[in-house]
């Protein structure tokens, strides 16, 4: 039986050039979420390596080995953990969002749209499948950073049942206003909860501003510009209530877009 009312959290991580330190920081933030009985915590993009190429060489060949300590921490804890990590398979590197619960990876999504203004495409291969993961806290649709700019991705995930959109990110300060607007837009147009987990500080001075947004577009909590954990109590039942009271999603006309 899944949770309805629950404490949820975002671990706004300060990602450093040291992969092992990053993993320890992630563990620390997860432990803090556990201490307040949070049922869901979302971590930023590439929380193990950041976008530091020298770290890519250290990534384990098996994703379970790469996040072994996090899997072990979650074994006896009733918490769902979401975050993006650098994953290596058959010599290829992927930017992969993972969903973890009680020591298991419930689902994995490999980023399908790589950011064109950095070297992400130089190092990472693209995924080819969008993903909604059924979890004890609800159905979670996965997007990563740049993909928040594509409303088509969010709408597809919602049509596949997503009640929560989890968006790990490393969103830069130059466009942080876009980040805030886009997170609220994805929540409003899809009548779902949105968890935008950005990183903070670090060499690239990431601005934080992680947010949990409700199905009506209200910001329940917003992070500052430092490493921290932010929390809000949510009622997953609000998704169905909002969609039933305001049945906007039903009015979309597929026939007008059949050629796309």
């Amino acid at each position: 039986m899944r949770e309805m009312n629950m404490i949820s959290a975002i671990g706004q991580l300060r990602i450093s050039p040291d992969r092992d330190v990053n993993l320890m920081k992630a563990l620390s933030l997860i432990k803090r979420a556990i201490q307040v009985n949070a049922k869901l915590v979302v971590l930023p993009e590439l929380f193990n390596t950041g976008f530091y190429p020298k770290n890519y060489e250290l990534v384990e060949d098996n994703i379970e080995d790469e996040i072994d300590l996090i899997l072990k921490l979650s074994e006896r804890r009733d918490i769902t953990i979401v975050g993006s990590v650098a994953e290596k398979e058959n010599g290829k590197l992927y930017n992969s969002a993972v969903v973890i619960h009680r020591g298991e990876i419930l689902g994995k999504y490999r980023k399908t749209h790589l950011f064109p203004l950095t070297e992400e495409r130089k190092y990472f291969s693209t995924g080819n499948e969008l993903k909604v993961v059924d979890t004890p806290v609800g159905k979670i649709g996965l997007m990563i950073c740049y993909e928040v700019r594509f409303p088509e991705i969010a709408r597809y995930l919602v049509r596949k049942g997503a009640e929560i959109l989890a968006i790990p990110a490393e969103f830069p300060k130059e466009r942080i206003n876009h980040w805030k607007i886009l997170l609220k837009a994805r929540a409003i147009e899809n009548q779902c909860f949105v968890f935008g987990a950005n990183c903070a500080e670090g060499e690239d001075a990431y601005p934080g501003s992680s947010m949990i947004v409700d199905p009506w577009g209200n910001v329940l909590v917003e992070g500052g510009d430092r490493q921290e954990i932010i929390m809000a109590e949510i009622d997953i039942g609000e998704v169905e209530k909002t969609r039933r009271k305001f049945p906007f999603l039903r009015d979309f006309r597929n026939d007008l877009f059949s050629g796309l």
Side-chain angles (χ1 to χ4, degrees):
M1 186 174 180
R2 72 177 187 172
E3 298 282 342
M4 296 301 285
N5 289 82
M6 61 182 175
I7 297 172
S8 55
I10 289 176
Q12 187 169 272
L13 187 67
R14 183 186 189 275
I15 297 176
S16 78
D18 190 316
R19 166 180 163 272
D20 293 334
V21 168
N22 292 335
L23 289 168
M24 290 302 103
K25 287 180 178 179
L27 281 170
S28 176
L29 290 172
I30 294 167
K31 288 176 182 177
R32 289 170 63 186
I34 290 170
Q35 287 172 354
V36 297
N37 200 32
K39 299 301 182 184
L40 170 65
V41 60
V42 183
L43 300 171
E45 181 180 18
L46 296 184
F47 70 79
N48 59 339
T49 63
F51 283 103
Y52 295 104
K54 70 181 184 70
N55 284 338
Y56 304 156
E57 301 172 7
L58 305 175
V59 175
E60 301 284 353
D61 290 331
N62 186 310
I63 193 170
E64 284 82 3
D65 293 334
E66 181 65 23
I67 56 174
D68 178 62
L69 292 177
I70 293 174
L71 289 171
K72 287 180 178 176
L73 174 64
S74 72
E75 282 179 353
R76 295 178 177 83
R77 307 292 185 175
D78 187 18
I79 187 170
T80 299
I81 303 163
V82 182
S84 153
V85 296
E87 175 200 9
K88 191 180 293 181
E89 183 177 87
N90 297 326
K92 291 184 177 181
L93 202 64
Y94 297 94
N95 185 341
S96 299
V98 291
V99 180
I100 296 165
H101 185 258
R102 290 198 180 277
E104 295 184 8
I105 296 176
L106 299 184
K108 180 177 68 176
Y109 163 69
R110 290 172 170 170
K111 191 174 183 180
T112 56
H113 294 69
L114 302 179
F115 189 56
L117 302 184
T118 64
E119 293 188 321
E120 190 172 2
R121 293 178 177 177
K122 175 180 176 181
Y123 294 101
F124 290 90
S125 298
T126 56
N128 294 301
E129 182 183 6
L130 301 177
K131 183 76 71 170
V132 175
V133 182
D134 199 355
T135 79
V137 298
K139 294 182 179 180
I140 300 177
L142 299 169
M143 305 169 68
I144 301 176
C145 198
Y146 174 51
E147 296 174 332
V148 73
R149 293 185 177 275
F150 296 87
E152 299 87 351
I153 297 176
R155 180 54 55 89
Y156 175 88
L157 295 172
V158 166
R159 289 189 159 215
K160 291 296 183 180
E163 300 160 295
I164 296 169
L165 296 177
I167 310 174
E170 288 199 26
F171 217 92
K173 61 183 178 181
E174 293 84 1
R175 296 180 294 278
I176 198 62
N177 188 49
H178 293 187
W179 165 254
K180 296 178 182 182
I181 293 170
L182 290 166
L183 291 177
K184 288 186 279 188
R186 298 295 85 86
I188 292 168
E189 68 198 8
N190 292 295
Q191 299 175 302
C192 64
F193 285 99
V194 171
F195 284 64
N198 201 19
C199 54
E201 305 177 283
E203 289 186 355
D204 295 313
Y206 285 102
S209 295
S210 298
M211 293 167 57
I212 299 175
V213 188
D214 76 7
W216 196 239
N218 299 308
V219 178
L220 302 180
V221 63
E222 180 176 346
D225 61 357
R226 296 290 184 268
Q227 177 169 300
E228 62 180 325
I229 190 158
I230 60 173
M231 293 169 287
E233 186 170 352
I234 71 170
D235 177 1
I236 198 67
E238 286 299 315
V239 174
E240 182 181 352
K241 291 176 185 176
T242 302
R243 292 175 182 176
R244 187 170 60 245
K245 186 175 181 180
F246 303 99
F248 304 147
L249 292 175
R250 300 178 195 169
D251 280 342
F252 184 80
R253 288 187 57 186
N254 287 300
D255 61 300
L256 297 179
F257 299 91
S258 59
L260 293 181

